[in-house]
Amino acid sequence: MAKHAVLSSGAKLWRSLPCAKSELRLELTLACGQTFRWRETAEGHWTGVIGGRVWTLTQTEDTLWYYVYTHQSGAGGENSSEDSLRAESVSASHHSEVEAEMLRDYFQLHVKLGDLYKEWGAADSHFKKISDIFTGVRMLRQDPIECLFSFICTSNNHISRIQGMVERLCQTLGSPLCQLDQTSYHDFPTLSALADSGVEERLRDLGFGYRARFLQQSAKQILDTHGPQWLVGLRNVPYLEARDSLRTLPGVGTKVADCVCLMCLDKCEAVPVDTHVWQIAKRDYKYTSDNGQKTLTEKVHKDIGDFFRKLWGPYAGWAHSVRIIIHYVSISFTVDLLLPLICLFQVLFCGDLKKFQNLKEMTGLKQPKNEEERERECKGLKMKREFDLHQKKKKPKSERQKKAKMFVKTEEV
């Protein structure tokens, strides 16, 4: 049976592109919640699907390495063999160039991320303080069909469950591509497959709930009203027109529409906003234009987006995403909270930061002394609140509670 490729086992079968880690970090870009189909199949090796092909990616300090597997017509069958699976990167030279261009396009490597970081840091003191630690976070340019229907699955959901849904969607309705180490890889379903009348019932049986109807109805509406090229055609219209067009589809609100605009329709100015982002804008950027508004209305959504677009410029959507990663990852490390926190599109869709906790040792995060003192105070206040809740129950103090109180007093001194 064919296995997932590993660079150390045969570098001659791999192709590469020059790309510094400051311009792209795979572990941050592929695992942060903007795409749901990449898995770390060996240390530092990520396997997923781009353009109907299965890829394994890894990187060294200044090089992006990639291995592309051939399509197996009998993927998952008993006749699968290692001989039937080889790297396309050693095939004809024109195939190699096509694959290289696919990768450049997917990661938008023409965008010089280092220059953008400098611009954002000059405009935003919050960003500048720690942006040099979390470099290489960039937006992908995904297939519009995959991106849209994946994000329809994100409603009231979290990252790990979304990943499971998207994987089941591909296994059920997508074409098989290959099998590696007993893992079957499938292409993302076509609009025709998604629009079939029996899809809703099948997806409900697979645990999609009310999202099953949104998936089937959106695909059918696109085909019946617009045609199969409509989604990719939205790349050529202005941002607001594209967003409003997406919002006509079942299951697509403003937040999801902004995510799709940013991640696959070339709308770099799109800033996805929800209540979490709203609170960040008020707390960290002293945003006050909502006039005490209690709910996230369309006007507040627009005003917050305009606020960040004015601050960060034409790539505001990229800056917004990087800024949220930096903010929540750094806080989790400084405060030493090993509890789930919100990050990037996990901020938008209730995920967690567990997969990023190992970055603490990788980055050697150090905050200025005043920042450390501020974070310790926050930790102390949190523990004091927890202690006070126990006190209200008026139960005899346990030894653990007494120790907690002593620790809080120590922190407050």
Side-chain angles (χ1 to χ4, degrees), residues 29-38 49-51 102-108 138-151 154 162 166 188 231-232 235 258-267 318 344-345:
T29 300
L30 297 178
C32 66
Q34 58 176 315
T35 180
F36 305 101
R37 301 194 65 198
W38 290 92
V49 178
I50 308 173
M102 289 173 67
L103 209 55
R104 292 189 195 100
D105 180 74
Y106 185 73
F107 286 110
Q108 305 192 75
R138 60 171 57 240
M139 292 293 96
L140 304 174
R141 190 176 193 247
Q142 302 178 58
D143 173 75
I145 294 175
E146 177 172 345
C147 186
L148 169 64
F149 287 90
S150 294
F151 272 89
T154 62
I162 297 166
V166 173
F188 200 85
L231 272 177
V232 72
R235 287 176 170 171
D258 272 332
C259 289
V260 175
C261 283
L262 175 63
M263 296 175 220
C264 70
L265 297 182
D266 303 337
K267 315 306 179 194
W318 286 47
L344 182 56
F345 300 100

Side-chain angles (χ1 to χ4, degrees), residues 386-402:
E386 294 174 347
F387 178 77
D388 288 342
L389 287 176
H390 286 292
Q391 287 290 87
K392 288 181 180 180
K393 295 180 180 180
K394 294 183 178 179
K395 291 183 178 180
K397 295 179 181 178
S398 65
E399 287 299 314
R400 185 176 181 181
Q401 286 175 318
K402 292 177 181 178

Side-chain angles (χ1 to χ4, degrees), residues 219-232:
K220 187 175 188 303
Q221 181 173 315
I222 290 172
L223 289 177
D224 291 349
T225 307
H226 305 290
Q229 298 303 312
W230 175 71
L231 272 177
V232 72

Side-chain angles (χ1 to χ4, degrees), residues 122-304:
D124 180 1
S125 60
H126 294 283
F127 190 100
K128 186 176 182 178
K129 288 178 182 177
I130 49 178
S131 60
D132 59 331
I133 298 172
F134 298 100
T135 57
V137 183
R138 60 171 57 240
M139 292 293 96
L140 304 174
R141 190 176 193 247
Q142 302 178 58
D143 173 75
I145 294 175
E146 177 172 345
C147 186
L148 169 64
F149 287 90
S150 294
F151 272 89
I152 289 177
C153 295
T154 62
S155 175
N156 296 317
N157 221 338
H158 57 80
I159 291 296
S160 59
R161 189 161 181 256
I162 297 166
Q163 289 174 334
M165 282 186 173
V166 173
E167 190 59 36
R168 292 194 296 277
L169 187 68
C170 295
Q171 290 176 354
T172 303
L173 301 175
S175 300
L177 297 176
C178 69
Q179 183 172 347
L180 306 169
D181 292 318
Q182 299 184 338
T183 299
S184 296
Y185 290 88
H186 293 71
D187 204 358
F188 200 85
T190 62
L191 283 173
S192 297
L194 290 164
D196 185 85
S197 59
V199 162
E200 179 181 348
E201 183 177 355
R202 293 178 70 184
L203 294 183
R204 283 187 180 275
D205 290 341
L206 292 173
F208 282 71
Y210 63 87
R211 304 169 194 84
R213 176 169 55 86
F214 292 154
L215 291 166
Q216 191 273 334
Q217 289 186 352
S218 288
K220 187 175 188 303
Q221 181 173 315
I222 290 172
L223 289 177
D224 291 349
T225 307
H226 305 290
Q229 298 303 312
W230 175 71
L231 272 177
V232 72
L234 293 179
R235 287 176 170 171
N236 302 318
V237 305
Y239 158 54
L240 291 178
E241 181 180 341
R243 189 187 72 177
D244 291 343
S245 296
L246 291 170
R247 291 176 62 195
T248 65
L249 299 173
V252 179
T254 302
K255 180 175 62 178
V256 168
D258 272 332
C259 289
V260 175
C261 283
L262 175 63
M263 296 175 220
C264 70
L265 297 182
D266 303 337
K267 315 306 179 194
C268 301
E269 70 271 38
V271 177
V273 175
D274 74 349
T275 54
H276 298 290
V277 176
W278 183 18
Q279 293 303 316
I280 290 170
K282 291 193 291 186
R283 183 184 66 238
D284 295 347
Y285 294 93
K286 310 307 178 186
Y287 171 80
T288 58
S289 299
D290 54 16
N291 296 318
Q293 183 75 36
K294 300 298 184 183
T295 57
L296 185 58
T297 63
E298 287 298 319
K299 183 181 184 305
V300 172
H301 190 290
K302 178 183 180 301
D303 289 345
I304 293 175

